[in-house]
Amino acid sequence: MSRVRRISIMMAILCIYIWAFAGLPIVELKETSLEVISAIFSGLFHPDWGYVYDPGGEDLLRGLLDTLAIALLGTFIAAILCVPFSFMASKNIVKSKATVGISKFILSFIRVFPDIVLALLFIKAVGPGAFAGVLALGIGAVGMLGKLISESVESVDLNAKEALTATGANPIKTFMFAVVPQVLPNFFSFILYRFEVNVRAATVLGIIGAGGIGTPLIFALSVRDWERVGVILLGIILMVTLIDLISGKIRARFT
Amino acid sequence: MIAFKHVSKIYPNGIHGLHNINLHIGEGEFVVIVGLSGAGKSTFLQSINRLHEISEGEIFINNKSITKAKGNELYRIRRDIGMIFQNFNLVHRSTVMRNVLSGRVGYHSTLRMILGLFPKKDKQLAMEALRRVNIPEKASMRADQLSGGQQQRVSIARALAQEPKLILADEPVASLDPMMTGQVMDDLLRINQELNMTMVVNLHDIEIARKYANRIIGLKAGKVVFDGKADEATDEAFAEIYGKADKTSERMGMEQYERIENTANG
């Protein structure tokens, strides 16, 4: 029985693979492919160092700083916006099933949109630029943060709440002393994690015109200025790695 | 100090948690409530500070009705009643100091407590409470780093920081080993004697009840079946309290109900 089952599962998986690979167009290298690839690599190894800092106009450092600012501001907005949602979506805090259901629905509704789609919408709404990027990341992160934090709220130990009630604390004080201290470390940890994600997302947002380092990147790509592409990529790699490293170190201290 | 007047608790499924209880507990008494689990001990204790609502009758704390108190009046009465729980009910992630300070929140405005600003006097009070239970050196440690017995002492310190007029203890030693049991019960006895603090303690262990109580109240199926001095509580009296309950099935039902309600109330 189990042997028949195992064989039939293996057959099914094999069929799916064959079907998937059959659907692939034949991989075909253009004549220029090799040339372009070698140009990109030579650009990466011979970056345009002059672009790193240019007191007169746009340069790499300013672009990266813009990106960082978009990510930081977006995360900050999300951190504030997600708080009411995450508590309203926790069924151990809010007794009304309707409120919990609606809040959970709003959070998953926001999560449906990829950051890029949100950014496109906001570019239409507020015009291209960093502000659209900030709004996209700020709203987009609420979905994920709200879900994670509400799950953390739902797992708190409510015995302490009983003890606080018994000391004569009103519901607000009880909440501040029995629930908040249990959620706070997770809260900061999630916010930092989302900041890491946002930094990566913000580098891409510029490509569609929502501010940050993506804009000079797409310009350099379109004029095949590989040395500049190289230096921008190096800058992004360095910034993202550094931020992941620092934020990871800080997050480790929270748990 | 505490007065029960015709107090009954009927659960929605028709089972009597408490059955027409009339009694008075005076200042400085060390009262131990004994009975089988499901006899209504917990309901009895938690109705004193109204963590459990009663269905009939009235309970008075220092001549004030807690049953009819609303809002701030209720919080004011609760502030005078310290409570110790079987599972300590500490905030694990907070420091010992902060857990003890949380006994003081009833004394300050909501805004001040949102900001978490405690006056210096409160911190001294908290330290003094920790000294009274012999763990002042643990003040800056996280609560979950302590042993069970030490955690229960923190919760006693929290109750003391409230500067209460009486302390309720709901099975304070049920989750502790025998060694810790003695230490925690000694702490409670010392507080009772040194501060003349009224103690109402739920216990299921007869030997501990006899050793520490100066008055024992026996509950059975929500009724008071024994109320007397500790030395009057003979083996026969205990046999009556713990004897074969006539409605075993009903008691089982209520036990389950209490558990469900406890989880629902958090």
Side-chain angles (χ1 to χ4, degrees):
Chain A
M1 170 63 201
S2 77
R3 197 165 162 193
V4 175
R5 220 171 106 183
R6 211 179 308 152
I7 290 172
S8 54
I9 288 172
M10 265 158 68
M11 289 296 283
I13 291 173
L14 199 70
C15 286
I16 292 172
Y17 266 103
I18 292 170
W19 174 75
F21 277 106
L24 271 181
I26 299 153
V27 184
E28 177 173 16
L29 284 174
K30 282 186 201 156
E31 279 168 35
T32 52
S33 293
L34 212 65
E35 205 181 309
V36 171
I37 289 169
S38 67
I40 292 175
F41 273 98
S42 96
L44 272 175
F45 290 114
H46 305 93
D48 175 7
W49 294 116
Y51 183 67
V52 172
Y53 181 68
D54 173 9
E58 283 195 354
D59 58 17
L60 179 68
L61 283 179
R62 242 166 279 191
L64 289 178
L65 211 63
D66 260 6
T67 309
L68 209 60
I70 292 170
L72 201 64
L73 211 57
T75 313
F76 184 71
I77 291 173
I80 292 170
L81 283 182
C82 73
V83 172
F85 281 110
S86 42
F87 285 115
M88 282 193 298
S90 306
K91 52 178 178 280
N92 58 344
I93 301 291
V94 177
K95 295 287 172 230
S96 145
K97 276 185 182 150
T99 314
V100 173
I102 292 168
S103 308
K104 278 197 196 296
F105 176 77
I106 292 174
L107 289 177
S108 34
F109 183 76
I110 297 172
R111 277 201 307 280
V112 166
F113 297 102
D115 293 331
I116 293 282
V117 176
L118 278 175
L120 284 171
L121 293 177
F122 279 114
I123 285 170
K124 290 289 167 222
V126 301
F131 188 50
V134 168
L135 286 178
L137 294 183
I139 304 294
V142 170
M144 183 193 111
L145 286 177
K147 183 187 162 70
L148 287 176
I149 295 166
S150 85
E151 275 171 3
S152 151
V153 172
E154 280 179 346
S155 70
V156 302
D157 165 23
L158 287 178
N159 284 338
K161 215 174 139 192
E162 193 183 22
L164 260 293
T165 308
T167 66
N170 64 23
I172 300 173
K173 293 178 192 168
T174 304
F175 183 77
M176 286 306 294
F177 278 82
V179 179
V180 171
Q182 297 187 61
V183 181
L184 220 52
N186 276 344
F187 176 77
F188 284 125
S189 170
F190 293 145
I191 300 280
L192 270 173
Y193 176 65
R194 185 63 207 198
F195 176 61
E196 290 171 32
V197 174
N198 275 357
V199 169
R200 264 167 275 159
T203 57
V204 182
L205 284 181
I207 291 171
I208 55 161
I213 194 70
T215 313
L217 179 63
I218 192 79
F219 285 154
L221 276 170
S222 57
V223 300
R224 293 164 186 263
D225 184 349
W226 301 119
E227 282 80 20
R228 181 157 294 185
V229 170
V231 78
I232 291 175
L233 286 181
L234 284 177
I236 291 174
I237 292 168
L238 200 70
M239 178 177 74
V240 170
T241 318
L242 216 64
I243 283 177
D244 279 13
L245 214 70
I246 296 169
S247 138
K249 279 255 156 61
I250 301 174
R251 276 193 291 123
R253 306 194 69 187
F254 281 131
T255 45
Chain B
M1 178 121 244
I2 309 169
F4 277 66
K5 301 241 161 90
H6 305 289
V7 173
S8 289
K9 163 89 185 183
I10 303 161
Y11 286 105
N13 59 1
I15 289 166
H16 280 265
L18 298 174
H19 202 97
N20 192 21
I21 291 184
N22 284 289
L23 54 82
H24 179 266
I25 293 171
E27 201 180 329
E29 282 193 76
F30 195 117
V31 182
V32 170
I33 319 285
V34 292
L36 288 164
S37 61
K41 294 194 304 276
S42 212
T43 314
F44 177 88
L45 202 74
Q46 299 200 2
S47 67
I48 296 175
N49 63 357
R50 225 176 109 185
L51 288 185
H52 260 301
E53 298 283 346
I54 53 173
S55 0
E56 276 167 41
E58 209 168 343
I59 297 171
F60 293 88
I61 312 291
N62 281 330
N63 301 320
K64 273 187 242 156
S65 166
I66 192 168
T67 314
K68 288 190 176 142
K70 284 194 187 78
N72 283 332
E73 207 186 336
L74 172 64
Y75 304 142
R76 196 65 47 82
I77 300 176
R78 276 185 181 153
R79 195 174 78 184
D80 290 338
I81 308 173
M83 185 145 190
I84 294 156
F85 300 83
Q86 176 178 349
N87 299 315
F88 328 136
N89 292 9
L90 300 176
V91 181
H92 301 298
R93 279 193 144 143
S94 296
T95 60
V96 167
M97 188 62 178
R98 198 154 175 85
N99 269 293
V100 178
L101 277 174
S102 70
R104 299 293 302 166
V105 298
Y107 287 91
H108 306 294
S109 74
T110 305
L111 183 68
R112 186 161 187 171
M113 287 301 98
I114 288 174
L115 299 172
L117 300 170
F118 288 96
K120 213 172 177 181
K121 186 183 137 269
D122 279 15
K123 286 174 190 156
Q124 287 163 355
L125 249 159
M127 264 328 271
E128 199 185 306
L130 283 171
R131 230 169 274 136
R132 202 170 273 282
V133 291
N134 292 322
I135 47 167
E137 74 282 358
K138 308 281 187 206
S140 58
M141 281 174 83
R142 249 172 73 154
D144 55 4
Q145 290 175 317
L146 305 185
S147 70
Q150 288 170 334
Q151 288 193 32
Q152 191 58 296
R153 289 174 156 195
V154 175
S155 93
I156 295 172
R158 174 176 62 193
L160 283 176
Q162 261 173 266
E163 298 185 294
K165 302 207 167 62
L166 70 129
I167 288 182
L168 311 174
D170 194 359
E171 297 280 3
V173 292
S175 32
L176 301 178
D177 62 43
M179 172 82 174
M180 304 259 188
T181 296
Q183 290 175 355
V184 165
M185 287 307 295
D186 286 345
D187 279 340
L188 293 181
L189 186 64
R190 201 152 32 79
I191 290 160
N192 167 254
Q193 286 170 348
E194 288 174 8
L195 304 174
N196 195 31
M197 182 89 69
T198 314
M199 288 276 172
V200 185
V201 183
N202 276 356
L203 289 174
H204 60 261
D205 189 313
I206 303 168
E207 290 314 312
I208 305 174
R210 271 205 185 119
K211 189 174 169 199
Y212 291 93
N214 53 34
R215 176 178 170 190
I216 291 178
I217 295 174
L219 287 181
K220 187 173 162 187
K223 287 181 196 148
V224 175
V225 291
F226 178 87
D227 185 353
K229 291 210 175 72
D231 44 20
E232 291 167 12
T234 55
D235 288 346
E236 290 77 46
F238 278 119
E240 164 68 17
I241 300 167
Y242 287 94
K244 238 182 169 184
D246 34 17
K247 289 174 189 164
T248 315
S249 58
E250 193 174 284
R251 210 186 61 234
M252 292 289 287
M254 202 187 74
E255 227 175 287
Q256 268 165 3
Y257 186 82
E258 268 192 345
R259 213 175 304 136
I260 294 162
E261 202 182 56
N262 282 341
T263 14
N265 291 341

